[in-house]
């Protein structure tokens, strides 16, 4: 049993908690800013300087040194726990309550050193809506000081509710044991779930007079609500950051004078109640709590600046203030370059390829990235960081996604050419064709850059997935095709490049697949169409004369790279299809949707493909946000013509332990750069890959009968 007395509130788990980022526990509390967040200064050591807030002491913030990094040779708002608190009539209730004024004694404020000039000298009347909400919540908190107040309320509500309220009560220390009250655990389609069904997500330790909380509490990572209010706590362990699913945390009525900065890792919090403590300051790291709706501070000798902001503009304004004034953390260590075993072949046929979703400006909104400082989310800041990071790797081929038309035309095209010797090919998404010129400029697309001194462009092709679907005869009468596939305007940019020295050729497919997780079928269909179109292009390009030693008599003999943002994890149908070369027509990702021969016969392609990073195991993530952390970007290559000789490693783990997500001051996109070095295999070793057909329905039926 756990080491602390606790009361469990058992309730059905009918809430939807999305994936959260891996467990990180920040330990660094940066020194405070010294100037206003509105001040800017060209302080980053870039070839082209730009405005960066000067609040980060020292004036200069070196994020990347401009030099090659490669080896030399190369949901709706949630209510309070048991229903929303009733808002008291503004003409009733305790009159004149307000936050406790600053004490006259000198107080050390290592986490909130704010210039006096930023303080509001004329506090608002306590009749403001934000202020009244503080008073109402504080009053409710003071009325809930009895032991296990919330648990008792929940029990009363359960007994008085209509119908049966019986819920399976399991042992929290051994959830696999039979229910303690004889009620069976949840089943699905008559079968028990692989994982035990979590029946309770709330713990009420309120009103117990506790002075310490056992660390065992923090292993209940599934908790969504935790009450440790009205105790005698003077300290909260940093391990509270493990409770990533928390939406409500009530620590009111204790003796807390300082909060752990690790609270900033709880990005799912909607309510953080701290009434009636001894808090003078707040950690700036709380600025990452972008979903916080209620910050309860009444009854604390809180700093005048924060008090005034809370009175005037409410919780969100306080969070924004903390977020934009939080000091930039130390720069991460350089990503390692991982050398793989070299295979036979000349250095002349070695090349590097970089792939990167740069996060288009119009998608970088405070609604989606509320944990990112506003200055770090501005395009003028991010575009310089993107340019510098890409150019610093000095890759031979660069494939970017989410590049809007105006930024390509006015910024990346020329700057990459001047500073990196890159020529390029670009197409925007299909919607651009139906827009006026001024609208078309904001449409994003895919851009492929290649070193002009090393490669010559032989041919290029745009693949518009919705147009390809319209041209397929087996799709024309498919309702799912019209409702799900044609409405998505994703594209792929295909280029055929020839090495100016060796005359070897490589096909580079740069694609951006649909993003929505509920459209796994569409992702699979788009990738299937991509492979079909690549085969057609390969047949066409085999006829282009080539004077090298390479025999490009079939598409499978041309070196092929397929890279981009696939918005698909390694356990997806997309990954399985590209890796295995085939997929069954009844794959789960298709669901019940119908897509012509794809769902009647299955999928197959003729290339022998492998994810570059699978040679060392996929990276921990290529996309890093509070709501999702995982691998969705890949560089696939044809294994019969190419070998991987080097890979760019992952992000510094110590640095990540203090981050809730990207973008931030050092990483300008929610995606990270992936980069691989390839060697073209000698002509005599290149063979067509083996062909694996999809098992017929009869053979599958026979095999299933044998099992």
């Amino acid at each position: 049993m756990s080491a602390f007395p606790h009361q469990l509130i058992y309730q059905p788990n009918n809430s939807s908690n999305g994936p959260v980022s891996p467990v990180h526990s920040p330990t660094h509390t940066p020194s405070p800013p010294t100037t206003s967040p509105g001040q800017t200064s060209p302080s980053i050591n870039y070839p082209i300087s730009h405005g960066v807030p000067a609040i980060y002491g020292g004036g200069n913030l070196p994020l990347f040194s401009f030099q090659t990094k490669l080896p030399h040779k190369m949901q709706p708002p949630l209510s309070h726990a048991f229903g929303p608190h009733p808002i008291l009539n503004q003409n009733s209730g305790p009159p004149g309550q307000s936050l406790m004024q600053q004490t006259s004694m000198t107080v050390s404020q290592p986490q909130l050193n704010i210039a006096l000039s930023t303080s509001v000298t004329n506090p608002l009347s306590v009749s403001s809506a934000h202020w009244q909400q503080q008073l109402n919540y504080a009053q409710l908190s003071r009325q809930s000081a009895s032991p296990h107040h919330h648990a008792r309320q929940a029990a009363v509500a359960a007994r008085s509710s209509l119908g049966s309220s019986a819920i399976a009560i399991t042992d929290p220390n051994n959830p696999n044991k039979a229910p303690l009250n004889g009620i069976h655990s949840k089943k699905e389609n008559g079968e028990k779930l692989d994982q035990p069904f979590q029946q309770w997500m709330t713990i009420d330790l309120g009103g117990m007079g506790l002075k310490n909380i056992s660390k065992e509490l923090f292993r209940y990572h599934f908790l969504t609500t935790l009450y440790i209010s009205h105790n005698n706590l003077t300290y909260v362990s940093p391990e509270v950051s493990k409770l990533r699913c928390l939406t409500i945390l009530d620590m009111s009525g204790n003796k807390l004078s300082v909060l752990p900065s690790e609270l900033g890792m709880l990005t799912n919090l909607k309510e953080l109640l701290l009434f009636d403590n001894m808090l003078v300051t707040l950690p700036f790291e709380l600025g990452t709590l972008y979903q916080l709706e209620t910050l309860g501070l009444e009854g604390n000798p809180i700093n005048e600046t924060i008090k005034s902001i809370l009175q005037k503009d409410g919780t969100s304004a306080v969070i924004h203030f903390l977020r934009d004034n939080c000091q930039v953390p130390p720069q991460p260590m350089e990503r390692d370059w991982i050398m793989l075993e070299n295979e036979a072949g000349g250095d002349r046929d070695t090349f590097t390829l970089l792939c990167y979703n740069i996060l288009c400006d119009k998608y970088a909104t405070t609604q989606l990235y509320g944990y990112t400082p506003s200055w770090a989310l501005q395009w003028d800041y991010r575009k310089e960081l993107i340019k510098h990071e890409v150019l610093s790797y000095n890759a031979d081929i660069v494939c970017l996604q989410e590049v809007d038309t105006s930024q390509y035309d006015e910024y990346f095209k020329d700057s990459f050419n001047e500073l990196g010797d890159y020529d390029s090919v670009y197409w925007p998404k299909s919607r651009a064709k139906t827009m006026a010129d001024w609208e078309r400029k904001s449409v994003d697309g895919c851009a492929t850059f290649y070193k002009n001194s090393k490669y010559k462009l032989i041919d290029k092709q745009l693949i518009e997935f919705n147009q390809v679907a319209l041209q397929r005869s087996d799709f024309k009468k498919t309702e799912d095709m019209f409702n799900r596939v044609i409405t998505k305007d994703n594209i792929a940019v295909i280029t055929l490049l020839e090495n100016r020295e060796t005359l070897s050729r490589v096909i580079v497919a740069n694609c951006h697949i649909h993003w929505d997780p509920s459209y796994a079928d569409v992702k699979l269909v788009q990738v299937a169409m991509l492979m079909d179109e690549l085969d057609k292009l390969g047949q066409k390009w085999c006829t282009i004369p080539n004077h090298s030693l390479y025999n490009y008599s079939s598409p499978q003999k041309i070196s092929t790279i397929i890279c981009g943002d696939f918005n698909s994890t390694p356990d997806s149908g997309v990954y399985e299809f590209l890796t295995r070369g085939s997929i069954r027509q009844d794959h789960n990702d298709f669901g019940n949707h119908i897509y012509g021969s794809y769902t009647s016969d299955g999928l197959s392609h003729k290339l022998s493909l492998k994810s570059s990073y699978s040679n060392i195991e996929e990276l921990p993530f290529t996309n890093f946000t509070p709501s999702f952390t995982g691998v969705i970007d890949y560089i696939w290559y044809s294994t019969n013509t190419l070998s991987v000789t080097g890979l760019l490693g992952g992000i510094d783990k110590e640095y990540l332990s203090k981050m809730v997500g990207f973008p931030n001051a050092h990483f300008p996109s929610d995606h990270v750069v992936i980069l691989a070095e390839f060697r073209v295999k000698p002509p005599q070793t290149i063979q067509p890959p083996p062909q694996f057909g999809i098992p017929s329905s009869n053979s599958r039926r026979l095999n299933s009968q044998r099992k």
Side-chain angles (χ1 to χ4, degrees):
M1 297 295 289
S2 60
F4 53 86
H6 60 273
Q7 185 95 352
L8 304 181
I9 300 177
Y10 298 96
Q11 57 188 22
N13 183 356
N14 53 13
S15 63
S16 176
N17 291 319
V20 296
S21 55
V23 174
H24 301 313
S25 177
T27 58
H28 174 72
T29 301
S31 57
T34 57
T35 60
S36 165
Q39 294 176 298
T40 59
S41 171
S43 57
I44 292 187
N45 298 327
Y46 288 160
I48 300 177
S49 61
H50 55 283
V52 182
I55 61 176
Y56 312 104
N60 290 327
L61 178 61
L63 300 183
F64 293 94
S65 57
F66 192 77
Q67 59 186 9
T68 178
K69 295 184 179 180
L70 292 179
H72 174 69
K73 63 179 221 174
M74 11 172 249
Q75 121 194 206
L78 300 180
S79 61
H80 197 278
F82 306 102
H85 290 303
I87 300 300
L88 303 179
N89 188 302
Q90 293 190 8
N91 294 323
S92 64
Q97 280 193 5
S98 64
L99 287 173
M100 295 174 61
Q101 298 298 317
Q102 281 275 39
T103 57
S104 59
M105 50 200 295
T106 302
V107 180
S108 174
Q109 300 182 30
Q111 295 172 291
L112 190 56
N113 182 14
I114 303 169
L116 293 177
S117 59
T118 63
S119 298
V120 178
T121 57
N122 297 316
L124 296 183
S125 167
V126 296
S127 62
S128 70
H130 297 297
W131 189 240
Q132 190 63 46
Q133 184 185 47
Q134 280 283 311
L135 303 182
N136 295 340
Y137 267 73
Q139 183 67 15
L140 289 169
S141 174
R142 290 159 185 156
Q143 294 172 356
S144 62
S146 60
H148 308 308
H149 170 84
H150 298 282
R152 296 176 189 277
Q153 277 195 332
V156 171
R159 286 194 296 269
S160 61
S161 62
L162 296 176
S164 173
S165 61
I167 298 174
I169 300 177
T170 58
D171 181 352
N173 296 303
N174 189 359
N176 292 312
K177 286 178 60 177
L180 304 179
N181 58 349
I183 298 175
H184 296 292
S185 59
K186 182 179 179 181
K187 295 184 178 182
E188 189 174 275
N189 298 325
E191 298 294 331
K192 286 190 176 182
L193 299 175
D194 292 337
Q195 299 294 327
F197 179 64
Q198 185 56 53
Q199 296 283 358
W200 56 275
M201 297 177 294
T202 299
I203 288 183
D204 183 359
L205 296 173
M208 297 296 294
L210 302 176
K211 294 184 178 180
N212 292 291
I213 297 292
S214 170
K215 291 184 179 180
E216 289 294 304
L217 172 66
F218 304 122
R219 70 183 181 88
Y220 294 145
H221 56 85
F222 51 81
L223 290 176
T224 61
T225 304
L226 175 61
Y227 298 104
I228 52 177
S229 52
H230 303 291
N231 286 299
N232 294 312
L233 301 176
T234 58
Y235 169 79
V236 177
S237 171
E239 293 195 39
V240 68
S241 63
K242 294 180 179 180
L243 304 181
R244 297 301 179 86
C245 294
L246 280 183
T247 59
I248 298 173
L249 176 58
D250 189 350
M251 299 190 289
S252 302
N254 281 288
K255 299 177 180 179
L256 300 174
S257 59
V258 65
L259 296 175
S261 61
E262 287 79 3
L263 281 174
M265 305 301 291
L266 305 181
T267 54
N268 284 309
L269 277 180
K270 305 289 186 180
E271 296 184 12
L272 177 58
L273 306 182
L274 304 166
F275 300 116
D276 300 326
N277 276 285
M278 303 168 63
L279 297 171
V280 176
T281 67
L282 294 178
F284 279 103
E285 287 82 356
L286 297 192
T288 57
L289 303 182
Y290 66 106
Q291 299 189 75
L292 197 67
E293 298 169 0
T294 302
L295 175 62
L297 292 177
E298 161 66 4
N300 287 275
I302 201 71
N303 178 277
E304 182 68 25
T305 300
I306 289 183
K307 181 177 71 173
S308 299
I309 295 174
L310 186 63
Q311 287 177 329
K312 180 181 178 182
D313 297 313
T315 295
S316 61
V318 173
I319 295 302
H320 294 168
F321 172 80
L322 296 173
R323 178 197 66 195
D324 287 350
N325 282 274
C326 187
Q327 182 156 351
V328 173
Q331 183 175 332
M333 295 184 64
E334 294 280 349
R335 296 172 66 178
D336 292 332
W337 180 252
I338 303 170
M339 295 296 299
L340 303 182
E341 183 178 354
N342 291 334
E343 297 187 12
D347 290 344
R348 295 182 306 166
D349 265 345
T350 297
F351 67 93
T352 52
L353 185 142
L354 179 151
C355 180
Y356 191 18
N357 181 324
I358 66 172
L359 180 57
C360 182
D361 182 33
K362 66 181 177 182
Y363 302 145
T365 64
T366 54
Q367 288 75 21
L368 292 175
Y369 303 98
Y371 52 89
T372 303
S374 57
W375 57 266
L377 205 55
Q378 292 177 3
W379 178 244
D380 285 342
Y381 177 83
R382 293 198 304 113
K383 71 179 182 181
E384 292 291 329
L385 211 55
I386 291 166
K387 180 186 73 174
H388 179 81
E389 183 171 18
V390 170
L391 293 179
S392 68
Y393 288 113
N394 198 34
D396 297 310
I397 303 171
V398 174
C399 295
L400 304 182
Q401 303 85 45
E402 287 196 22
V403 182
D404 74 38
T405 303
S406 63
Q407 291 300 329
Y408 171 76
D409 290 335
E410 301 168 9
Y411 185 72
F412 289 113
K413 181 180 180 181
D414 292 336
S415 60
F416 278 24
N417 180 266
E418 295 171 5
L419 299 174
D421 184 39
Y422 289 106
D423 282 346
S424 55
V425 175
Y426 172 81
W427 268 291
K429 289 180 178 176
S430 302
R431 73 187 76 165
K433 295 191 298 185
T434 64
M435 294 180 170
D437 289 342
W438 65 272
E439 294 178 300
R440 190 178 301 122
K441 291 182 178 180
S442 64
V443 177
D444 66 291
C446 298
T448 299
F449 298 84
Y450 55 92
K451 290 279 189 181
N452 181 54
S453 58
K454 185 167 185 174
Y455 286 105
K456 176 174 65 174
L457 179 66
I458 302 298
D459 202 359
K460 60 184 179 181
Q461 183 68 44
L462 168 66
I463 296 179
E464 299 175 283
F465 296 122
N466 54 9
Q467 297 302 310
V468 173
L470 282 172
Q471 295 167 10
R472 290 182 62 99
S473 59
D474 59 331
F475 277 16
K476 287 185 177 179
K477 296 182 180 180
T478 303
E479 181 179 347
D480 288 322
M481 185 272 292
F482 282 104
N483 293 336
R484 296 177 69 83
V485 175
I486 289 183
T487 56
K488 314 299 183 296
D489 66 342
N490 301 86
I491 64 168
V493 172
I494 317 298
T495 53
L496 175 63
L497 303 174
E498 182 178 88
N499 188 306
R500 293 183 182 274
E501 185 176 359
T502 67
L503 302 183
S504 63
R505 291 178 176 174
V506 58
I507 297 174
V508 179
N510 178 9
C511 60
H512 192 182
I513 304 303
H514 184 61
W515 67 272
D516 194 336
S518 62
Y519 283 80
D521 55 310
V522 173
K523 303 174 198 283
L524 197 49
V525 168
Q526 288 181 344
V527 173
M529 291 189 292
L530 170 64
M531 298 308 297
D532 289 344
E533 294 303 304
L534 274 177
D535 184 63
K536 295 177 184 178
L537 287 172
Q539 296 286 354
K540 171 186 172 182
W541 288 339
C542 282
T543 63
I544 300 177
N546 178 263
H547 303 291
S548 71
L549 298 176
Y550 293 90
N551 176 19
Y552 296 130
S553 58
S554 68
Q556 293 76 40
K557 292 186 178 182
I558 306 178
S559 299
T560 302
I561 300 283
I562 303 173
C563 67
D565 178 1
F566 290 81
N567 279 305
S568 305
T569 55
D571 60 352
S572 66
V574 166
Y575 193 99
E576 179 182 347
F577 170 56
L578 290 174
T579 302
R580 298 181 58 182
S582 64
I583 207 169
R584 293 167 54 127
Q585 77 275 17
D586 57 353
H587 191 278
N588 290 338
D589 282 7
F590 280 128
N592 297 321
H593 304 292
I594 299 175
Y595 296 108
S597 62
Y598 288 170
T599 50
S600 63
D601 303 328
L603 307 179
S604 65
H605 66 78
K606 299 177 182 178
L607 297 179
S608 175
L609 296 176
K610 185 176 182 179
S611 169
S612 300
Y613 278 89
S614 67
N615 287 283
I616 60 170
E617 192 173 305
E618 297 291 349
L619 291 173
F621 64 84
T622 63
N623 182 253
F624 181 39
T625 67
S627 59
F628 174 82
T629 298
V631 176
I632 56 177
D633 305 88
Y634 305 93
I635 301 173
W636 305 87
Y637 69 101
S638 52
T639 58
N640 64 310
T641 61
L642 297 169
S643 59
V644 178
T645 59
L647 292 165
L648 182 64
I651 310 296
D652 178 11
K653 292 182 179 179
E654 176 64 22
Y655 175 85
L656 288 174
S657 70
K658 305 173 181 66
M659 298 296 118
V660 301
F662 297 158
N664 64 9
H666 302 114
F667 292 87
S669 173
D670 54 340
H671 294 251
V672 299
V673 166
I674 55 176
L675 188 148
E677 182 184 61
F678 298 96
R679 174 167 289 129
V680 181
K681 293 185 176 180
Q684 63 272 15
T685 65
I686 295 178
Q687 300 293 331
Q691 299 301 309
F692 300 100
I694 300 177
S696 66
S697 57
N698 289 335
S699 64
R700 284 197 301 272
R701 190 177 303 111
L702 182 60
N703 290 335
S704 62
Q705 291 173 354
R706 290 173 178 171
K707 293 181 180 179

